[in-house]
Each structure stands twice: as structure tokens, then as C-alpha cells.
């Protein structure tokens, strides 16, 4: 099995790499330090990446950034960060990547708990998560050749508590193992149009 993992150097990307490295050949992609360099906010860059991968059996995206800030202070430009990256970036990886997948291959995108369990300063991130969830469940109806698409929605990871824990008061951090298994289920399983919630 050949996998393309975008965002491989990040917290979640490293977990997915560790979970699957014994079972698959993994091509890593990212904005820095990866087999293939890609900027997910650029359709030209995504197209260039896919030209270099050859056929793969799964595309997994764990990359994406968003602005965290108070609603009354948030500018349209700050909101655009998540729109361009986590929302449109992930959607464009699907729109431009279908021909790169083998028959019955899969896309796995990344959302997050903030669309279901809101926090102050989380509106922009929640917006992107909810958009991806809606896209995934609808795109699954139309994907050709048995292609599948799912998203994984983690709560805050144990590994991210030191950096972001103050914003997530009362949330139970989730282990790397549980998050890795959710991606494994999406990639190796048979379900499509689903969210795998690690809450
Ligand atoms: N960590 C958590 O607790 C958690 C929980 C729920 C959901 N999430 C979501 O999961 C996603 C990843 O989170 P994370 O904690 O793993 O983030 P992270 O550690 O910051 O990693 C993000 C990865 O994306 C890459 N990247 C950033 N901008 C990019 C671009 N324009 N094109 C291509 N790659 C780009 C980064 O590369 P560089 O490092 O080189 O910039 C990095 O490899 C985010 O959408 C986040 O909201 C995270």
C-alpha cells in the first residue's frame, strides 16, 4: 500500500506516520522537510505535488492552520487563514487528487472537536471543521471508482496540552494511540462519508 501523507512533520502527522509505517510505503509531503514540498493554500502547488506522487492508495491530510481569536476582534483576513488552509486547502486536495488515487482508494481529512464543543476564540477553526465535515459526507456520494472519503476529528491531543491546553479547559486530552487508530480505520477500513471522532 502506498500512502501520501500531507503534514507529516506535524503533531498529528507524526502520529499517523508512526501508526502506519510498518504497513505501508509512506510518501511525506509538507511545506518544509518532506519527500515532496507542497503549500496546501496553492492549487498550483497541489497540482505539482500530485504530478510527482504516481498512483497512491490513500491521501491523508493532517496539515492546516487556523487563527484563534476573539470574535469581536477577528478580522476577515484572520478568518481567511483557516478558509485558505484547513477548509479550501483540504477540499482542493480532494478536487485535484481523485485521479491520483487507485481504484477503491481513500481520502482522509482532519477536522477537530471545536465544531461540536465550542470554546471562546474558536469560531474560525470551528467554521473550517464544520465545512469539511459537510463536504466529506456529500462528496462521498459522488466519488468515482469506489473511492472513499472520511475525516478524523480529534479532541486536544495529550501532546498539544502544553502549547494549547489553556484554551481547552475541562477537555480530556486524547492519546496518540487513539488518534492514530482513527486514521488507520479510515484508511484501512471500508467506511465512507464518515467522521471518526476521538473525543
Ligand atoms: N493537535 C491537536 O490537539 C489537534 C486536535 C484536533 C484537531 N487538530 C487539527 O489537526 C490539524 C493539524 O494539527 P497539528 O497539531 O498536527 O498541527 P502542527 O503540529 O502545527 O502541524 C501542522 C503541519 O501542517 C504543515 N503545514 C502548515 N501549513 C501548511 C501549508 N500551507 N501547506 C502544507 N503543509 C502545511 C506544517 O508544516 P510546518 O511545521 O513546516 O509549518 C505541519 O507539518 C490542524 O488542522 C488542527 O486544527 C489538532
Amino acid at each position: 500500500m502506498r500512502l501520501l501523507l500531507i503534514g507529516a512533520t506535524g503533531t498529528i502527522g507524526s502520529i499517523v506516520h508512526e501508526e502506519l509505517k510498518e504497513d505501508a510505503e509512506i510518501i511525506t509531503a509538507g511545506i518544509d522537510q518532506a519527500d515532496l514540498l507542497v503549500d496546501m493554500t496553492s492549487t498550483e502547488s497541489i497540482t505539482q505535488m500530485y504530478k510527482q506522487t504516481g498512483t497512491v492508495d490513500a491521501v491523508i491530510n493532517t496539515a492546516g492552520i487556523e487563527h484563534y481569536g476573539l470574535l469581536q476582534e477577528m478580522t476577515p483576513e484572520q478568518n481567511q487563514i483557516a478558509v485558505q488552509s484547513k477548509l479550501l486547502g483540504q477540499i482542493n486536495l480532494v478536487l485535484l487528487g481523485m485521479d491520483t488515487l487507485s481504484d477503491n482508494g481513500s481520502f482522509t481529512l482532519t477536522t477537530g472537536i471545536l465544531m461540536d464543543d465550542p470554546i471562546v476564540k474558536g469560531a474560525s477553526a470551528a467554521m473550517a471543521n464544520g465545512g469539511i465535515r459537510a463536504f466529506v459526507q456529500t462528496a462521498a456520494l459522488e466519488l468515482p471508482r469506489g473511492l472513499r472519503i472520511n475525516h478524523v476529528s480529534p479532541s486536544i491531543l495529550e501532546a498539544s496540552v502544553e502549547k494549547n491546553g489553556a484554551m481547552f479547559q475541562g477537555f480530556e486530552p486524547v492519546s496518540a494511540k487513539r488518534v492514530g487508530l482513527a486514521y488507520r480505520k479510515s484508511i484501512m477500513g471500508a467506511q465512507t462519508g464518515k467522521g471518526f471522532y476521538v473525543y
Side-chain angles (χ1 to χ4, degrees), residues 9-12 38-40 62-63 66 86 110-111 154-155 157 160:
T9 57
T11 305
I12 295 180
V38 64
D39 177 356
M40 70 190 297
T62 61
E66 56 269 307
K86 194 165 185 178
T110 298
T111 53
S155 185
L157 276 81
S160 300

Side-chain angles (χ1 to χ4, degrees), residues 6-13 29-33 38-41 61-66 68 85-86 90 110-113 125 129 152-158 160-161 163-164 168 183:
I6 302 136
T9 57
T11 305
I12 295 180
I31 205 157
D32 197 16
Q33 294 183 329
V38 64
D39 177 356
M40 70 190 297
T41 66
N61 179 65
T62 61
I65 56 171
E66 56 269 307
Y68 290 89
S85 171
K86 194 165 185 178
Q90 294 204 96
T110 298
T111 53
I113 195 170
N129 291 340
V152 174
S153 179
S155 185
I156 184 166
L157 276 81
E158 288 169 352
S160 300
V161 167
K163 188 174 164 204
N164 295 324
F168 290 80
Y183 284 88

Side-chain angles (χ1 to χ4, degrees), residues 112-120 154-157 161 164-174 198-199:
I113 195 170
L114 294 183
M115 63 182 162
D116 290 320
D117 203 352
I119 62 168
V120 168
S155 185
I156 184 166
L157 276 81
V161 167
N164 295 324
M167 278 198 303
F168 290 80
Q169 296 292 328
F171 286 65
E172 185 171 355
V174 294
V198 190
Y199 295 169

